[in-house]
Amino acid sequence: MNIILVTEVIHSGGAETFVLRLAKALQEQGHRVAVFCFYRDLSNEQLPEVFAPDVPVFYADIPVNGALSKVDSLLFRLKIDIRLRDWFIKRCLKKAVKGHGCDVLHSHLLKVDRVCVQVTEETGVPAVTTMHGDYLHFSLHADRNEHSNILNYHAHARKALRSLRGIVCISDEQIGFMKERFARETEGKMKKYYNGYPAVAGLYGGERIREQLGVPETSFVFGMISRGIKAKGWDVAIEAFQLLGREDAHLVLIGGGSYIEELRAKYQFDSRIQFLGQINEPLKLLPAFNIGLLPSTFASESLPTVVIEYLLFGKPVIAADVGEISKMISYEGKDAGVSIPLVNGAVPVKDVAAAMQQYLDNKTLYIEHTQNALHCYQQFDMLQCVRNYEEVYRSALA
């Protein structure tokens, strides 16, 4: 099949890197694949070389993009539901569809779905989508009459969902949300499939990583990799770690941004806590971890890529019980971590600290969960993911 995967931007987020990984895996299975990206100026053009070096990437050609962006922002503030850049993006995507001989468009995220279904209407090429949590995220804002960066959410969501030929959800929460809010538009079109993740652990041997970090080989290391926003639970991880009061434990934090810098200044005098900032290849440091953390309360958390990465590297997980996390770290009766229930919308620091203490005190449990991590990772086998999407594409074409 000739397939174009479509994304708004290319950066290190879980949804965006999945687009690239899936494109590469589809190509390896004999499909003709390309990636189309809306905004070159907001993208990291090095990432395709890292994740999908042989897959062609097309960027929308938007004339005077900076000026049009300002006009679009003004229209949004005036609550005028018109996006001038979408017209140029649609024109470029139609050209790519024709030039690629495209059989099916694979869209990601609502703003991309909106453009893809317009291309479907004008070319007849079917579009399918993967839900990464943004439909739920926008709905929560709309229900609360809170500001979000999309106008008339419900109307756009209904129109897109009606026109899409296939909808892949990556969590039970998404399935339930769609059945509750958009039952008619999604009837007979939804499947639940996990994102695939190729087994790359062998690329990272972990030689002398702790020595490079200045962490003793005998230390027990709790680590966290995520976006540098408060909702991911950085402060909870730090406070829980400090409750332990253990000199033989370290906390390694990988993520950047202004919020992280505030935390760095606040905890600069605790030598057991290391802020490493934003790192292009954080997986190189994962072998240094004993435990992976993600005490997130992010509203649209679904299937966090970092949890898959922890499992792939054989690291037990301590994370909030949000999205699909509890199912990710427990598979066929084998557990590879602890999921912490929210209390009044927050992750209790004392519960995270108790889970940390449990791994420090119970070596047998730690070893068992370490061994189970790779078993849980099997749920994210990339070849099975490709087979699932081939089924979705065939169904859309039929």
Side-chain angles (χ1 to χ4, degrees), residues 1-272:
M1 279 180 276
N2 292 348
I3 305 154
I4 297 181
L5 285 82
V6 191
T7 183
E8 190 174 25
V9 296
I10 295 174
H11 58 56
S12 57
E16 292 77 16
T17 54
F18 171 66
V19 169
L20 297 173
R21 291 188 181 99
L22 179 60
K24 181 176 185 292
L26 287 164
Q27 185 185 69
E28 289 172 347
Q29 294 304 308
H31 299 286
R32 186 165 178 258
V33 185
V35 171
F36 183 92
C37 177
F38 283 13
Y39 303 119
R40 182 192 292 266
D41 60 312
L42 301 178
S43 294
N44 182 340
E45 295 185 57
Q46 297 177 342
L47 287 181
E49 287 298 315
V50 174
F51 292 106
D54 298 321
V55 175
V57 178
F58 304 115
Y59 294 92
D61 181 15
I62 307 173
V64 291
N65 181 44
L68 284 179
S69 176
K70 291 179 181 178
V71 174
D72 280 346
S73 295
L74 175 61
L75 292 171
F76 178 83
R77 290 194 298 271
L78 296 173
K79 299 190 183 304
I80 299 173
D81 194 9
I82 297 173
R83 290 168 56 89
L84 299 181
R85 287 179 297 171
D86 278 3
W87 187 88
F88 293 99
I89 292 168
K90 182 182 71 173
R91 185 178 69 174
C92 292
L93 181 54
K94 285 173 63 178
K95 182 179 179 180
V97 164
K98 183 177 180 181
H100 190 69
C102 182
D103 297 316
V104 62
L105 289 167
H106 184 171
S107 177
H108 298 264
L109 304 174
L110 173 57
K111 292 181 181 178
V112 181
D113 294 349
R114 289 168 55 182
V115 175
C116 284
V117 297
Q118 293 177 38
V119 173
T120 291
E121 292 169 356
E122 296 180 19
T123 66
V125 174
V128 303
T129 193
T130 300
M131 298 280 171
H132 294 281
D134 64 319
Y135 277 78
L136 176 57
H137 177 76
F138 286 128
S139 181
L140 291 172
H141 282 290
D143 290 347
R144 299 168 184 163
N145 291 317
E146 294 175 346
H147 172 79
S148 71
N149 58 357
I150 188 168
L151 298 172
N152 301 315
Y153 158 75
H154 290 101
H156 287 298
R158 282 193 294 268
K159 184 178 188 301
L161 293 169
R162 276 196 303 267
S163 300
L164 290 162
R165 304 281 183 86
I167 300 166
V168 175
C169 296
I170 59 176
S171 72
D172 288 333
E173 183 181 35
Q174 291 176 359
I175 293 277
F177 167 74
M178 285 294 161
K179 287 182 176 179
E180 178 185 347
R181 294 296 185 93
F182 302 103
R184 180 178 300 176
E185 291 84 359
T186 61
E187 184 177 2
K189 293 192 283 190
M190 286 194 297
K191 298 281 188 182
K192 180 191 172 186
Y193 294 134
Y194 280 166
N195 294 345
Y197 195 105
V200 297
L203 299 177
Y204 305 102
E207 297 88 351
R208 303 179 62 186
I209 291 177
R210 288 195 171 194
E211 180 181 335
Q212 295 168 23
L213 294 176
V215 175
E217 287 297 328
T218 56
S219 183
F220 198 93
V221 177
F222 298 94
M224 180 169 166
I225 304 171
S226 193
R227 289 168 53 194
I229 58 174
K230 181 177 175 60
K232 290 294 183 175
W234 299 92
D235 54 340
V236 173
I238 295 170
E239 290 171 24
F241 174 77
Q242 291 197 313
L243 272 182
L244 297 176
R246 296 280 291 256
E247 293 301 321
D248 60 343
H250 275 71
L251 179 63
V252 174
L253 304 171
I254 301 176
S258 58
Y259 174 67
I260 300 299
E261 291 308 310
E262 292 174 13
L263 293 176
R264 186 198 297 269
K266 182 177 180 180
Y267 295 102
Q268 61 181 309
F269 300 110
D270 191 333
S271 61
R272 300 167 306 153

